[in-house]
Amino acid sequence: MLNAEVAKIFRQLAIYEDMENEFFRARAYQRGAEALEALAEDVKEIYRRGWLKALEEIPGIGGSLAEKIEEYLKTRRVHTQEQFKKKLPLNLEELYAVEGLGPKTIKLLWEQLKIKNLKDLERAARLGKIATVPHLGEKTQEKILRAITFVRQTGDRKLLGAVLPLARALEERFRRLPGVTEAVVAGSLRRRQETIGDIDLLVVTTKPKLAHETFIKMPEVIAVKAHGAGRSEVRLSLGMDADLRVVPPESFGAALQYFTGDKQHNVELRKIAIAKGLKLNEYGLFREKKLIASRTEAEVYRALGLDLIPPEVRTAAGELAAAKNHALPRLLPYGSVRGDLQIQTKWTDGVSSLEEMARAALALGREYIAITDHTRTLAMTGGLDERGLARQAKEIDALNTKVVQGKFGDKNKKFRVLKGAEVNILKDGSLDIDDAALAKLDIVAAAVHTNMKMPRPEMTRRIIKALQHPRLHILFHPTGRLINKRPPYEVDIREVIKAAKKYRVALEVNAFPDRLDLKDEHVRLAVAAGVKLVINTDAHAPEHLRYLEFGEATARRGWATRGDVLNTLPLNKLLEVFRKKTIIG
DNA sequence: GCCGTTTTCGGCCCGACTGTTTTCAGTCG
């Protein structure tokens, strides 16, 4: 995917244009970069489909940017960027990542001290040279040194699953504080984005000073970055920043909307306000000086002629138009997945026994689970062969008998353990377990675990071949990515979605925090194509069973409804769907 | 440089905090 590469160049051009005081041109490059990053399709494909014209149809890309994309596709270079680089030979990627450094300061440091990269910057700061530059001083120099340290030790954004528990703890902590009536985490956390850059906590209180004092003295705080009357900002020991904003109760809705974002959604929302002769900011929606709406988010959206848009889909990807036409889908409610269909046990690479996993799932209110240990060719996990699956089936039968006899959990509660497997898709697209053994399972799922570096056409063919298998019900983690660790397989996801529809195979939304695979955009493509989804945790330990909500969040971000997700069904209905597919073929 | 139920020219989201400088530019979200 070249989108990210071109986007990076556009971001650099934006910085260079800012240095030249060409602010609007800079913004155009920025928006172009954002447009490319948000694109699910490869620009290379778009270009092949309709040349320059197709590129220009991307919102935010006009003639000039389209030509630069074309130039990059053909030569892997962009002349304009090279011109700038000749004039100002800076490592912008490094310098711009240093917090507090923007285009103007970077340019100033180049002109005054010939600083062109992070190393130069650090040396100059240590020697005390930065404090001697006009308009800069001691404090700026110290700030830069701290920011360099931060840049070196963090880097990646944190996983949603790693941050949400702390965010919830903060909400709880502040809700218990005297004077506080609201404490909500906004930002990318509230939108349940897959990775999180910082924590934005929004508080309504009669004692703002107490809230700010409490905030900057939290045990997790390692440094205070800002401390004002309305806003404080701290650095947390887990390697990210947190923001506290205290707002008055009458503007809570407007503030929550504003700080939830995302940025592009807010920009578009504000344009809608302007078109109606109104002004929207974090204090409310105004006509001239007159306040029109501010107390709740719903009130603000309604006053703009829109239905309330759930935070997860505020991505400037059609949700505003849908809200205007009352055409937003009713997103999958949290907690509506009834059963978890991917669970590993001690039989292979899980850490707990089958029974322990079952008990934990039951305790969380699941109505059914599928045990899906790995199969034979995955030697490193001790994958099960046909005989192993048969032995495991006996253990599952025994467990289900105990449930029926009321000897397992609450006998009034329904619970069932299904026989499944995470079958390995071999290099040629065949499955590594024979048909007779697959026929004995309640649920057959398959996934790619080996030969992950195949060229795109071959990998696509391989997965589609697997989808054609008459006994296959689910494709697990369809793209194989591990967030911040491993890129997805080279695979044409659109073709996979088409094939999943044709052969009636469900696609998994794997809820494990570093997978979230399918990802939100792909969920949306699948939903639009009418492909059914399944949300599973991929639990390898009892505590992983709680991850379901991250999968539900990802499905919501992809506009999925209850009807799109098979494991929201009661067990008998779910099995009926799977059986039908097998009988008809 | 992009874009159009205000416009093919003239707009482009908006406010808080910081630091350095004495009234505001730069950065950030």
Side-chain angles (χ1 to χ4, degrees):
Chain A
M1 195 98 153
L2 293 173
N3 301 17
E5 291 174 32
V6 185
K8 207 159 97 183
I9 291 175
F10 285 172
R11 285 198 190 281
Q12 298 202 357
L13 284 170
I15 299 169
Y16 279 127
E17 294 291 357
D18 260 331
M19 290 176 175
E20 307 284 321
N21 289 326
E22 292 285 350
F23 302 117
F24 293 117
R25 195 175 292 170
R27 185 169 300 165
Y29 279 123
Q30 253 170 43
R31 290 185 45 198
E34 281 157 17
L36 288 183
E37 281 161 355
L39 227 51
E41 197 180 359
D42 198 328
V43 274
K44 205 165 78 189
E45 298 301 321
I46 297 174
Y47 182 65
R48 198 176 299 158
R49 208 177 53 217
W51 312 112
L52 274 178
K53 205 151 187 213
L55 292 175
E56 284 182 43
E57 276 166 23
I58 304 168
I61 305 290
S64 170
L65 267 64
E67 277 174 21
K68 290 186 174 70
I69 295 172
E70 178 184 53
E71 187 188 355
Y72 187 80
L73 293 177
K74 285 184 173 160
T75 67
R76 290 293 187 274
R77 299 160 63 176
V78 174
H79 182 247
T80 314
Q81 186 222 11
E82 295 189 343
Q83 288 297 110
F84 270 121
K85 192 129 195 171
K86 227 178 256 173
K87 214 166 105 190
L88 301 162
L90 306 170
N91 186 333
L92 287 181
E93 220 183 317
E94 280 184 13
L95 293 174
Y96 200 66
V98 176
E99 193 171 17
L101 287 194
K104 296 299 169 64
T105 316
I106 292 174
K107 189 180 186 197
L108 184 66
L109 287 169
W110 164 251
E111 286 166 351
Q112 298 281 324
L113 300 171
K114 292 284 171 257
I115 287 171
K116 55 185 189 303
N117 54 34
L118 197 62
K119 220 170 111 194
D120 295 347
L121 182 73
E122 185 166 23
R123 192 182 314 129
R126 289 203 190 287
L127 293 173
K129 284 188 179 166
I130 288 175
T132 67
V133 176
H135 302 290
L136 305 180
E138 287 287 342
K139 284 198 171 175
T140 306
Q141 184 165 279
E142 280 167 31
K143 210 169 111 184
I144 285 173
L145 275 172
R146 282 198 304 272
I148 290 173
T149 315
F150 186 66
V151 137
R152 292 232 159 99
Q153 51 181 231
T154 56
D156 289 334
R157 291 165 63 87
K158 306 284 182 233
L159 299 177
L160 172 65
V163 187
L164 194 58
L166 172 64
R168 287 195 172 127
L170 289 185
E171 287 179 341
E172 270 312 298
R173 207 180 292 172
F174 278 81
R175 275 174 197 154
R176 281 202 295 267
L177 214 58
V180 171
T181 51
E182 300 274 4
V184 180
V185 166
S188 52
L189 271 160
R190 184 157 180 257
R191 300 196 311 274
R192 299 293 190 266
Q193 200 170 290
E194 63 189 37
T195 61
I196 306 297
D198 61 6
I199 300 177
D200 295 300
L201 181 63
L202 204 61
V203 166
V204 174
T205 177
T206 52
K207 303 179 192 302
K209 212 166 166 192
L210 175 67
H212 282 291
E213 289 295 321
T214 306
F215 186 70
I216 63 171
K217 285 182 184 149
M218 297 190 298
E220 295 90 348
V221 171
I222 55 171
V224 178
K225 294 177 55 190
H227 182 32
R231 171 171 182 252
S232 294
E233 192 180 7
V234 297
R235 180 145 292 160
L236 301 175
S237 53
L238 97 147
M240 70 192 319
D241 291 344
D243 252 40
L244 171 72
R245 288 182 169 87
V246 173
V247 299
E250 61 274 15
S251 56
F252 178 65
L256 185 58
Q257 194 292 314
Y258 181 90
F259 292 114
T260 296
D262 73 3
K263 197 172 151 193
Q264 203 50 41
H265 174 91
N266 281 2
V267 168
E268 291 195 9
L269 194 64
R270 230 161 283 153
K271 281 185 188 161
I272 292 173
I274 291 167
K276 290 178 184 290
L278 306 172
K279 192 177 85 160
L280 179 66
N281 60 27
E282 60 262 55
Y283 301 106
L285 183 66
F286 300 86
R287 184 183 305 280
E288 303 295 328
K289 292 264 155 84
K290 186 171 177 279
L291 180 66
I292 292 175
S294 67
R295 200 160 269 277
T296 67
E297 279 192 323
E299 201 179 275
V300 172
Y301 281 102
R302 199 182 322 120
L304 289 167
L306 304 171
D307 292 337
L308 178 62
I309 299 173
E312 292 91 334
V313 297
R314 296 182 195 169
T315 58
E319 75 279 7
L320 288 158
K324 188 178 168 192
N325 301 323
H326 310 296
L328 278 171
R330 207 187 173 86
L331 299 182
L332 172 81
Y334 285 104
S336 54
V337 170
R338 294 173 188 250
D340 196 337
L341 300 179
Q342 179 172 190
I343 288 174
Q344 268 68 244
T345 70
K346 257 187 190 163
W347 280 83
T348 58
D349 61 346
V351 300
S352 301
S353 72
L354 212 154
E355 178 157 351
E356 284 166 333
M357 293 304 277
R359 281 194 191 283
L362 183 62
L364 287 171
R366 310 285 180 257
E367 295 174 20
Y368 49 87
I369 59 171
I371 301 299
T372 54
D373 276 300
H374 291 289
T375 53
R376 70 157 111 226
T377 47
L378 226 54
M380 60 176 178
T381 63
L384 303 177
D385 59 9
E386 287 79 359
R387 283 185 11 227
L389 285 170
R391 281 203 310 278
Q392 189 182 53
K394 282 188 188 155
E395 189 180 330
I396 293 174
D397 284 337
L399 196 60
N400 282 324
T401 306
K402 268 166 89 177
V403 175
V404 173
Q405 292 170 342
K407 292 177 188 162
F408 186 85
D410 181 348
K411 63 179 158 198
N412 296 319
K413 262 196 209 156
K414 278 184 293 181
F415 187 68
R416 165 99 176 266
V417 181
L418 301 172
K419 295 165 200 162
E422 179 173 9
V423 183
N424 200 17
I425 299 175
L426 299 173
K427 211 173 167 182
D428 65 357
S430 61
L431 305 183
D432 74 342
I433 293 292
D434 68 39
D435 279 14
L438 294 181
K440 291 179 186 147
L441 299 173
D442 299 307
I443 288 188
V444 177
V448 169
H449 289 100
T450 50
N451 300 101
M452 292 187 280
K453 292 224 186 282
M454 288 166 83
R456 194 177 170 95
E458 285 170 42
M459 181 61 94
T460 307
R461 269 201 301 277
R462 171 188 182 183
I463 293 176
I464 290 174
K465 166 91 188 297
L467 294 179
Q468 290 170 1
H469 195 292
R471 297 216 171 270
L472 185 68
H473 300 124
I474 310 170
L475 177 66
F476 278 172
H477 45 73
T479 75
R481 69 155 178 180
L482 296 175
I483 301 170
N484 287 350
K485 277 185 227 148
R486 184 176 77 201
Y489 327 125
E490 284 289 339
V491 61
D492 188 333
I493 194 70
R494 286 162 196 270
E495 290 300 318
V496 170
I497 288 170
K498 246 193 243 168
K501 173 71 182 169
K502 184 166 173 196
Y503 303 114
R504 286 180 298 145
V505 175
L507 297 181
E508 184 186 53
V509 179
N510 189 297
F512 212 85
D514 67 358
R515 286 197 183 267
L516 300 181
D517 179 11
L518 295 175
K519 65 187 284 189
D520 45 17
E521 289 162 34
H522 294 156
V523 169
R524 188 144 173 211
L525 293 175
V527 166
V531 170
K532 295 295 179 197
L533 304 170
V534 164
I535 301 175
N536 304 320
T537 63
D538 203 350
H540 286 61
E543 54 269 30
H544 297 161
L545 292 165
R546 296 181 181 277
Y547 292 161
L548 214 45
E549 65 166 314
F550 306 128
E552 290 177 333
T554 302
R556 286 169 63 85
R557 288 179 56 83
W559 295 45
T561 64
R562 194 192 289 266
D564 296 314
V565 181
L566 287 181
N567 51 342
T568 59
L569 292 170
L571 180 64
N572 55 348
K573 298 262 188 224
L574 175 84
L575 291 178
E576 201 181 304
V577 171
F578 285 154
R579 247 194 325 267
K580 248 189 214 156
K581 130 109 196 184
T582 313
I583 293 165
I584 304 167

